[in-house]
Amino acid sequence: MTRDGNRRAKDGRDQAELTEYRRRRDVDRSGEPTGSGAIGDEPQFVVQRHDASSLHFDFRLQIGDVLVSWAVPKGPSLDPREKRLATRTDDHPLAYADFEGSIPPGEYGAGTVVVWDRGPLQNRTRHDEQDISLEDALVAGHLRVELFGEKLTGQFSLTQTRIRGNDRNWLLVKVDDDDADRRRKPERTQPESVLSGRTNDDLKD
């Protein structure tokens, strides 16, 4: 396949991956982005604190050219003893990594969103002493990444489960490495955005 053919095929896959994202939203009303655009020289992660019908954290990893996303009700923990439920949601465009704002009533996900943490990530997934791509790890239902954020650092694992009979449910767990911390609770004590310093309450007010 030619380079142009490869690019068209990749663009087609990206469009398909974002079909559900676009179907659920009126972006003219919500102000949410649709563009793809690179967000860094290396893969990135973003965690958005989303005060919607219930407060939760949207944990997003750049895999390919989309942000693969999970909703984490209690937020990511630095304590390796804590297993956090993470429910897979629709993939988001890369431009969403910068999104902060108030999604109006009546729209999907109505509520306030701030960028709670963000930074580069490195894939640390291995099986039988072989490196596994994040794309393949996602299909296999287990991945491990190292995060280089302001609040979240070190390795985290995500493992698909059958909790409540739903294969969209995963478990997010901090790996017990040098960055693990059983006392610090940034998901409770640091609600502010790493981009703007604002909190969800600031966007309500």
Side-chain angles (χ1 to χ4, degrees):
M1 188 179 285
T2 65
R3 181 179 299 175
D4 285 345
N6 279 326
R7 186 171 63 245
R8 284 195 299 271
K10 182 184 78 65
D11 289 345
R13 288 193 301 272
D14 296 345
Q15 294 295 322
E17 288 171 320
L18 295 174
T19 296
E20 187 68 8
Y21 171 87
R22 295 191 176 105
R23 183 188 70 78
R24 294 179 183 226
R25 292 165 175 82
D26 179 350
V27 295
D28 290 333
R29 285 200 71 229
S30 71
E32 294 168 280
T34 57
S36 52
I39 55 175
D41 295 331
E42 53 191 323
Q44 302 282 306
F45 84 95
V46 61
V47 181
Q48 278 151 318
R49 192 174 188 268
H50 188 178
D51 194 358
S53 55
S54 61
L55 176 65
H56 63 278
F57 292 73
D58 292 313
F59 186 89
R60 313 190 197 279
L61 304 177
Q62 182 180 351
I63 301 179
D65 290 312
V66 296
L67 292 171
V68 178
S69 302
W70 292 262
V72 185
K74 293 184 178 180
S77 174
L78 295 175
D79 186 344
R81 299 171 299 178
E82 296 187 4
K83 296 178 173 64
R84 294 289 167 88
L85 177 66
T87 301
R88 180 87 185 270
T89 62
D90 44 309
D91 296 341
H92 281 50
L94 295 183
Y96 213 93
D98 286 327
F99 177 70
E100 294 191 337
S102 184
I103 301 170
E107 290 299 309
Y108 180 76
T112 56
V113 178
V114 298
V115 177
W116 183 77
D117 201 15
R118 184 176 152 179
L121 73 86
Q122 290 186 3
N123 179 19
R124 301 298 188 200
T125 313
R126 292 176 64 81
H127 180 69
D128 290 338
E129 299 184 359
Q130 298 291 320
D131 293 335
I132 306 296
S133 72
L134 285 178
E135 289 87 348
D136 288 343
L138 188 66
V139 172
H142 176 75
L143 51 86
R144 180 181 286 203
V145 291
E146 186 169 2
L147 306 182
F148 300 88
E150 294 185 30
K151 299 172 183 174
L152 301 180
T153 56
Q155 295 189 37
F156 290 77
S157 70
L158 270 162
T159 304
Q160 194 173 24
T161 74
R162 294 281 178 181
I163 295 175
R164 301 171 191 163
N166 187 347
D167 62 6
R168 297 182 72 83
N169 286 331
W170 296 54
L171 289 177
L172 174 65
V173 182
K174 178 73 186 76
V175 173
D176 196 0
D177 57 15
D178 289 343
D179 293 290
D181 192 328
R182 298 186 178 199
R183 292 175 296 179
R184 192 161 68 86
K185 307 288 184 185
E187 73 278 17
R188 298 181 190 172
T189 62
Q190 296 178 267
E192 68 282 349
S193 163
V194 295
L195 293 187
S196 66
R198 297 182 297 181
T199 67
N200 297 82
D201 287 341
D202 292 333
L203 294 177
K204 287 177 183 177
D205 294 341

